[in-house]
Amino acid sequence: MRGWLESGIRPSDAATQASVRFQISRSTAYEDIKKVSAEIDMSDDGPAQQDETVCQVSVMASLQYHFNIAAATGDVKAMAQLVTAIDRAKRWGAPVQTSASPFA
């Protein structure tokens, strides 16, 4: 998780990724994110080298799998949450737009 946070991913997106990847609740993911954030704040060693990067393809595949399960069981609330998570995951891979204006 440290690598995700250091790469600039929002904590809410990191929580979604962690809950899907490690099969934990979002509240547990947020608790872990708080611990990792505190560790980052206390350390001066720079970015973690051992953490793997976030793979958008695996995130999308996992979210799609959970969406299919929610659709099969008729869980509309979970489907709506997963659509939001899928949209966020798609934006992770999109190029960041920067303004060419010197006033921006």
Side-chain angles (χ1 to χ4, degrees):
M1 258 190 251
R2 180 175 174 161
W4 299 341
L5 295 174
E6 289 176 339
S7 69
I9 292 177
R10 296 183 314 181
S12 61
D13 293 335
T16 300
Q17 167 68 11
S19 68
V20 171
R21 185 168 193 151
F22 303 117
Q23 299 296 308
I24 58 175
S25 69
R26 283 181 59 85
S27 61
T28 300
Y30 274 113
E31 290 172 10
D32 291 343
I33 287 170
K34 286 180 185 177
K35 291 176 187 174
V36 171
S37 294
E39 179 184 306
I40 291 169
D41 292 342
M42 291 187 327
S43 72
D44 60 352
D45 62 350
Q49 298 298 320
Q50 72 276 10
D51 288 347
E52 59 190 61
T53 59
V54 177
C55 175
Q56 185 184 19
V57 173
S58 65
V59 171
M60 293 297 295
S62 184
L63 290 171
Q64 184 63 51
Y65 170 76
H66 287 284
F67 179 83
N68 293 345
I69 292 172
T73 59
D75 189 349
V76 177
K77 180 180 178 185
M79 289 169 56
Q81 291 173 337
L82 286 162
V83 166
T84 301
I86 289 169
D87 287 342
R88 284 184 181 168
K90 285 179 182 176
R91 282 186 258 140
W92 287 347
V96 177
Q97 296 180 356
T98 57
S99 174
S101 171
F103 303 108

